[in-house]
């Protein structure tokens, strides 16, 4: 079959292409169905595979792969492309995720400001080291191991500071936690 594919590449030999198609199309179809391709899309994918074989036969290198391996690689790639296109959801401009959040009112803004102030006061009770660990973790999104490297301290120390900081915040915020 490699010789047939080489003939297609060099001479655009239609008979060689027909031999390839007759030999591989039932096998590629079975492969696509076996791999879970939708039966209504199998013929489209199969046609795309052999159109690619015809157009890109000059890229085939018989020393790197057999004709079967090359054709089945194309089939696998076209199947993946079809699955990606199939799973792409329809665009819905009314989707709530795409809508702007309404501007908060004065009362909501004031409540958010009060909550932030309460948390800032509670954070002031922490040691500088504990506050720094929480700042790097929550505001800069660093992992504990990255914080350890950045501060030049052991990972266990970072974890201890975070644990102690959370315990202290729980105590400081006490009954206010439910309002936050």
């Amino acid at each position: 079959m490699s010789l047939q594919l080489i003939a297609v590449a060099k001479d655009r030999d239609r008979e060689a292409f027909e031999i390839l198609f007759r030999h591989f199309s039932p096998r590629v179809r079975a492969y696509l169905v076996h791999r879970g391709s939708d039966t209504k899309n199998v013929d489209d994918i199969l046609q795309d595979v052999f159109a690619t074989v015809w157009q890109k036969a000059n890229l085939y290198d018989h020393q790197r792969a057999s004709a079967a391996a090359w054709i089945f690689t194309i089939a696998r790639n076209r199947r993946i492309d079809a699955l990606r296109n199939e799973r792409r959801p329809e665009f819905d401009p009314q989707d709530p995720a795409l809508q702007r959040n309404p501007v908060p009112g004065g009362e909501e803004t004031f409540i958010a400001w009060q909550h932030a102030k309460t948390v800032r006061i509670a954070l002031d009770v922490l040691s500088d080291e504990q506050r720094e660990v929480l700042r790097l973790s929550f505001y800069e999104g660093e992992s504990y191991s990255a914080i350890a490297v950045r501060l030049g301290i052991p990972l266990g120390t970072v974890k201890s500071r975070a644990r102690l900081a959370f315990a202290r915040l729980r105590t400081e915020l006490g009954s206010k936690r439910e309002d936050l």
Side-chain angles (χ1 to χ4, degrees), residues 95-116:
D95 186 346
L98 300 175
Q99 303 300 317
R100 287 183 169 221
N101 291 335
V103 177
E107 183 179 352
E108 292 168 333
T109 303
F110 180 72
I111 290 171
W113 178 81
Q114 281 183 321
H115 289 167

Side-chain angles (χ1 to χ4, degrees), residues 12-153:
R12 291 301 212 198
D13 187 337
R14 291 177 185 262
E15 289 179 26
F17 181 77
E18 184 178 346
I19 292 169
L20 287 171
F21 183 82
R22 288 184 189 274
H23 180 78
F24 284 111
S25 66
R27 290 164 177 80
V28 171
R29 178 187 305 278
Y31 166 79
L32 293 170
V33 170
H34 179 70
R35 291 291 181 186
S37 292
D38 191 2
T39 52
K40 64 183 178 184
N41 292 337
V42 168
D43 288 333
D44 292 337
I45 298 170
L46 189 64
Q47 181 178 1
D48 192 30
V49 167
F50 282 96
T52 303
V53 168
W54 177 259
Q55 293 166 353
K56 302 204 178 205
N58 61 326
L59 299 176
Y60 171 67
D61 181 1
H62 69 281
Q63 293 177 348
R64 293 184 65 203
S66 67
W70 192 74
I71 291 171
F72 277 93
T73 299
I74 293 171
R76 179 186 64 90
N77 292 342
R78 292 301 178 264
R79 181 182 158 274
I80 290 169
D81 292 343
L83 284 172
R84 285 182 182 147
N85 290 335
E86 193 175 289
R87 292 186 180 153
R88 190 165 294 146
E90 290 290 323
F91 176 74
D92 179 12
Q94 301 304 319
D95 186 346
L98 300 175
Q99 303 300 317
R100 287 183 169 221
N101 291 335
V103 177
E107 183 179 352
E108 292 168 333
T109 303
F110 180 72
I111 290 171
W113 178 81
Q114 281 183 321
H115 289 167
K117 183 179 176 185
T118 303
V119 171
R120 274 194 302 276
I121 291 169
L123 286 170
D124 285 341
V125 176
L126 301 177
S127 70
D128 290 340
E129 293 86 6
Q130 291 171 343
R131 217 177 9 262
E132 180 68 3
V133 167
L134 292 185
R135 184 185 68 77
L136 291 172
S137 178
F138 287 95
Y139 293 112
E140 294 191 21
E142 297 280 347
S143 66
Y144 286 163
S145 41
I147 293 170
V149 170
R150 189 167 170 177
L151 297 178
I153 58 176

